[in-house]
Amino acid sequence: GKAKTRLFSGSDRRIGSKDITLFTRQLATMMEAGVPLVQSIEIIERGLDHEKMSKMLADIRVELESGTNLSIALRKHPKYFDNLYINLIAAGEQAGAVDSILKKLALYMERTEFIKSKVKRAMVYPSMVMLVAAVVTLILLIYVIPMFEQFFADAGAALPALTQLVVGASHFVGQWGWALLIGVVVTVYLVMNRWKRSEKFQKLVGKYALKLPVLGDILHKSALARFARPLSTTFAAGVPIMQALNSVASASGNAVFSDAVLRMRESISKGQMLNFAMLQEPLFPTMLQQMTAIGEESGSLEHMMGKAADYYEEEVETAVDVLTSLIEPFIIIIIGVIVGTIVIAMYLPIFNLGQAI
C-alpha cells in the first residue's frame, strides 16, 4: 500500500524551479515571523511530500548545523540554486538581513515563474492547435478516404484532380506514416540534445526566435523583464554592479541577451556608466536606456529597474492574451480549410456520377 501511495503522490519527481520558488517563499515567511533559520528549514522539510527536495533540504540543514553559512551550503547544489540566488543570500549575510533578502528573492522568483508560464502558454497553445489539426487530418487520410476510394473504384468514376491529389496523400501517409513519425521524433531528440550541449546553437536559436512574428516580440519583452527584475533585486540587496550583471546574464533565458549583458559588463569595467553601455546594445530599447539614465542620475536605479520590470511583465501578459485571442479564430479557419478541402475532394466525383446518370 505504501509503495502505491508514493507512486501517485509525485514524491519521487525531480526538483523544479517552482519547488525552489515555493521553498524561498516559505523560508522568507518563517524567518520574518522570527523562526530561526535551521528550524525553518526543518519545518519545511518535514512538511514536504517530495523525496528529492526533502533530501536536499536535510543536506543543507546538516551543513548549517555544523556552522556553515547558508550561501555556502546552497553553493553545493548549483543545479537548483544559481549564481544570482547565492550572491543575494551572501549579500544578505554580510548585511545581517537574510530575512529581507529572502523576501526580495521570493518576489523576484515568483515574478520570473509568472513570466515563464506566460511565455510557455504563448508557445504551447499554437503547438497544441497544430497538433490537433495534424491528428484530424491524419485520421481523415488514413481511415476515411480509403473507404471513399473503394466506393469510387466500384462505381468506376473518373476522379477529378483535387480528389486524385487527396487520394495520393492518403496513400503516401498510409505507406510512409510510420517512417515520418520516427523521423519527427528523431529530429526533435537531436535538436534537444544539440540545445543542451552547444552554446553556439542556443545563440543561433535565440537570435532567430527574437525575429519570429508576434512570438519574437513576446520573447524579447520577457527577456527584458528577466533582465530588469533581477537587476533591481540585486541593487536593492547592495550587490556591486559587476557582480550583479554577471549573475543577471544567466537569468534572461536567452543566450543572445546573456552575451549582450556580458558585453555591457565589459564596458562598465572600463569605466562607462550602465546607460551608455546599454546604448551600444540594440537589443535594449530606448525607453529602458532612458529609465536607466534617470535611475543612475538620481541614485534610484533599483527603483527604476523595478518599474521597468513591471512594465515589461505587463506587456508580456497583454501580448500573450492578444495572441491567444487572435489564434483561436485562425485555428478554426485552418482546421475548416483542411477538413473542407478533403470533404469537397471526396464529394466531387459523386456530383460527377450524378451528372453522368
Side-chain angles (χ1 to χ4, degrees):
K2 197 177 175 190
K4 218 176 208 177
T5 317
R6 257 199 55 205
L7 188 68
F8 293 107
S9 68
S11 65
D12 212 19
R13 62 188 171 82
R14 64 187 187 88
I15 300 169
S17 55
K18 279 183 182 168
D19 298 310
I20 302 297
T21 303
L22 181 63
F23 159 71
T24 309
R25 171 56 69 197
Q26 288 174 321
L27 192 58
T29 308
M30 286 195 181
M31 287 193 70
E32 205 181 5
V35 182
L37 178 61
V38 176
Q39 206 180 330
S40 298
I41 290 178
E42 196 175 353
I43 294 167
I44 297 168
E45 180 197 322
R46 279 211 307 265
L48 285 174
D49 179 26
H50 188 321
E51 207 167 291
K52 288 178 180 166
M53 188 75 182
S54 291
K55 189 184 177 311
M56 181 175 75
L57 293 188
D59 291 349
I60 291 167
R61 183 171 51 79
V62 169
E63 288 276 326
L64 294 173
E65 283 167 348
S66 70
T68 311
N69 276 352
L70 179 60
S71 57
I72 295 167
L74 295 179
R75 214 176 278 279
K76 295 191 175 175
H77 304 276
K79 196 175 169 187
Y80 308 115
F81 300 100
D82 60 9
N83 241 338
L84 180 74
Y85 197 109
I86 291 160
N87 286 346
L88 281 170
I89 295 288
E93 285 168 342
Q94 281 168 1
V98 174
D99 50 351
S100 70
I101 287 290
L102 277 165
K103 204 173 164 187
K104 287 187 175 81
L105 242 177
L107 182 70
Y108 150 65
M109 291 179 82
E110 282 158 1
R111 295 303 299 167
T112 306
E113 278 300 322
F114 175 72
I115 285 296
K116 268 162 63 179
S117 71
K118 276 282 174 187
V119 172
K120 241 181 222 165
R121 189 176 145 208
M123 295 173 90
V124 167
Y125 195 69
S127 314
M128 290 304 291
V129 168
M130 298 316 274
L131 189 67
V132 169
V135 168
V136 168
T137 310
L138 286 174
I139 289 170
L140 288 171
L141 289 175
I142 293 167
Y143 296 106
V144 179
I145 289 163
M147 299 193 311
F148 273 91
E149 195 189 347
Q150 192 57 49
F151 169 73
F152 298 144
D154 295 345
L159 301 181
L162 182 63
T163 311
Q164 284 177 14
L165 187 74
V166 171
V167 167
S170 170
H171 285 177
F172 179 78
V173 170
Q175 268 182 316
W176 298 101
W178 287 110
L180 280 172
L181 186 65
I182 291 165
V184 168
V185 170
V186 168
T187 306
V188 169
Y189 172 75
L190 289 175
V191 167
M192 297 295 280
N193 206 23
R194 184 87 196 276
W195 173 266
K196 279 178 191 167
R197 289 166 185 232
S198 164
E199 206 176 304
K200 204 174 175 184
F201 184 64
Q202 285 178 21
K203 281 175 195 169
L204 192 71
V205 172
K207 184 180 166 186
Y208 287 107
L210 292 172
K211 290 180 181 174
L212 289 170
V214 188
L215 206 54
D217 187 45
I218 291 173
L219 291 171
H220 190 177
K221 282 171 178 163
S222 120
L224 289 169
R226 287 174 70 177
F227 163 79
R229 178 68 64 200
L231 208 53
S232 163
T233 310
T234 45
F235 285 152
V239 176
I241 188 162
M242 297 296 285
Q243 206 179 338
L245 286 172
N246 213 14
S247 303
V248 169
S250 55
S252 70
N254 184 308
V256 182
F257 259 91
S258 302
D259 262 14
V261 174
L262 291 175
R263 279 196 299 273
M264 276 165 31
R265 184 177 179 272
E266 191 64 31
S267 302
I268 291 165
S269 73
K270 290 172 185 164
Q272 268 197 359
M273 285 183 81
L274 178 60
N275 73 84
F276 284 117
M278 203 179 272
L279 201 56
Q280 291 149 26
E281 295 297 337
L283 282 174
F284 293 92
T286 312
M287 189 194 91
L288 185 60
Q289 190 261 332
Q290 285 171 344
M291 286 178 85
T292 307
I294 294 165
E296 284 186 301
E297 281 161 25
S298 62
S300 59
L301 194 53
E302 64 177 80
H303 177 68
M304 290 311 275
M305 281 294 161
K307 288 273 175 222
D310 289 341
Y311 170 76
Y312 287 117
E313 282 162 3
E314 266 176 48
E315 286 282 292
V316 169
E317 212 177 328
T318 309
V320 171
D321 292 340
V322 168
L323 179 70
T324 310
S325 59
L326 281 177
I327 276 177
E328 278 167 0
F330 182 64
I331 288 155
I332 294 165
I333 291 167
I334 286 181
I335 294 177
V337 167
I338 292 169
V339 175
T341 304
I342 291 172
V343 168
I344 291 167
M346 291 301 101
Y347 276 97
L348 275 176
I350 295 173
F351 294 140
N352 289 356
L353 276 177
Q355 283 169 353
I357 292 164

